[in-house]
Amino acid sequence: MTMKSWISLYGLLIRTSIKSRMQYKFNFVLASLLAALIQISEFLMVAIVLHKFGAIQGWSLYEIGYLFAVMTLSKTLYRTFADEVHHLEKYLVSGELDQLLTRPMPVLLALMPQNFRIMLGEVLQGGFLLILSISGMMNSGQVDWIAVPQTVFIIGTGAVILFSIGLATATLGFWTTRINELQTITEDAARTAAQYPLSLYPRWMSSILLIVVPVGFVNYVPSLYILRGELGPWVLPAVAFVAVACFALSLRFWRYGITKYQSAGS
């Protein structure tokens, strides 16, 4: 099959998953609202501290709000289209992955649209916070309109980086089976830490968040150029290169890991 055919098939699987989820519209709306409230309350705690003290090591409320929003939207984009990569453990433990192996298509392509999530709450929260932050910085003259397309660009590259980290972590499950605890470190904890400036952390920790688990390239590194004009215009191409490299390496690791898969049996 051609790439166009695979994309069409993927779209068909997504539409099927959406139809099944929309059978329970009230649950969908309620879950979206609760997700938005949780995200908003998390940032409000930081906003209260910043309002009290003005800034944290020179980072203003709008700048931290920007970092928070970019990370949220990048994660939302990744988890919308590939949420089941994050939940691979249940397929390994139950043996459900065997069913996907029998389909005449790549296993990853069959896995990704399973239980497709429409993360409306996260989109609303991240979008509102991003608009608020950019508007505030535009009004103060810190950034101009070019920051908007640049931000859209890094949200896309950020989603690719987060997907790559998630895929690499999930692939380790072919050897360990249980990966929830590892995902807590590589995905949840690392992403939460990168919602704030990496300059707040000790050098060893910021190095880990840039090299070992490169979540710093999702928002912090590009924001140094977009918001502050630091480093130089080469930052955005460099971030794109990191995203492509992470994707290629994680996909290669996945293809190797799946050859080591052993069914859980019945």
Side-chain angles (χ1 to χ4, degrees):
M1 295 178 68
T2 64
M3 179 60 68
K4 184 178 180 180
S5 299
W6 289 126
I7 294 174
S8 298
L9 180 58
Y10 179 64
L12 176 62
L13 292 172
I14 287 178
R15 289 194 295 273
T16 302
S17 183
I18 290 175
K19 286 181 180 179
S20 66
R21 281 184 172 269
M22 292 308 291
Q23 296 297 317
Y24 306 95
K25 295 181 181 179
F26 177 77
N27 288 346
F28 168 72
V29 173
L30 181 61
S32 297
L33 291 175
L34 289 175
L37 288 174
I38 291 172
Q39 293 287 331
I40 291 172
S41 63
E42 184 178 348
F43 181 75
L44 281 177
M45 293 171 60
V46 180
I48 291 171
V49 174
L50 288 173
H51 179 72
K52 180 71 174 178
F53 297 101
I56 297 179
Q57 287 192 1
W59 287 79
S60 69
L61 173 61
Y62 289 131
E63 289 177 320
I64 293 181
Y66 180 88
L67 295 178
F68 200 99
V70 169
M71 181 61 73
T72 297
L73 292 173
S74 294
K75 170 216 164 185
T76 299
L77 188 58
Y78 150 46
R79 296 288 285 273
T80 294
F81 291 96
D83 189 51
E84 289 305 278
V85 170
H86 183 73
H87 297 100
L88 181 66
E89 179 178 305
K90 68 180 181 181
Y91 291 87
L92 299 173
V93 173
S94 66
E96 291 181 51
L97 192 65
D98 294 357
Q99 300 175 21
L100 301 183
L101 287 167
T102 61
R103 297 184 182 182
M105 61 188 301
V107 177
L108 185 58
L109 188 63
L111 174 69
M112 287 169 57
Q114 300 289 316
N115 298 316
F116 184 82
R117 296 181 64 195
I118 304 175
M119 302 175 68
L120 181 60
E122 287 84 349
V123 171
L124 292 175
Q125 184 268 347
F128 172 78
L129 188 55
L130 184 63
I131 292 171
L132 179 65
S133 300
I134 290 182
S135 297
M137 289 184 285
M138 281 186 173
N139 291 335
S140 67
Q142 181 176 348
V143 299
D144 54 24
W145 66 269
I146 195 65
V148 176
Q150 290 174 334
T151 301
V152 172
F153 175 76
I154 67 169
I155 288 172
T157 56
V160 173
I161 292 171
L162 293 178
F163 168 76
S164 302
I165 294 170
L167 184 62
T169 305
T171 301
L172 293 172
F174 292 125
W175 287 274
T176 64
T177 304
R178 300 287 183 178
I179 53 175
N180 276 343
E181 291 78 9
L182 184 60
Q183 287 173 324
T184 300
I185 299 173
T186 62
E187 293 196 62
D188 301 331
R191 188 181 63 247
T192 300
Q195 288 175 337
Y196 308 101
L198 298 192
S199 58
L200 301 180
Y201 306 118
R203 180 166 295 183
W204 64 266
M205 185 174 178
S206 60
S207 297
I208 290 175
L209 296 175
L210 287 171
I211 300 172
V212 181
V213 185
V215 289
F217 285 95
V218 174
N219 56 356
Y220 176 71
V221 172
S223 74
L224 291 175
Y225 172 68
I226 296 173
L227 304 185
R228 300 184 160 204
E230 298 178 8
L231 301 179
W234 57 267
V235 169
L236 297 184
V239 168
F241 173 79
V242 170
V244 172
C246 287
F247 177 77
L249 290 172
S250 64
L251 190 60
R252 187 179 183 89
F253 184 43
W254 166 269
R255 289 172 176 168
Y256 173 73
I258 204 168
T259 64
K260 306 300 179 181
Y261 170 65
Q262 294 182 353
S263 175
S266 57

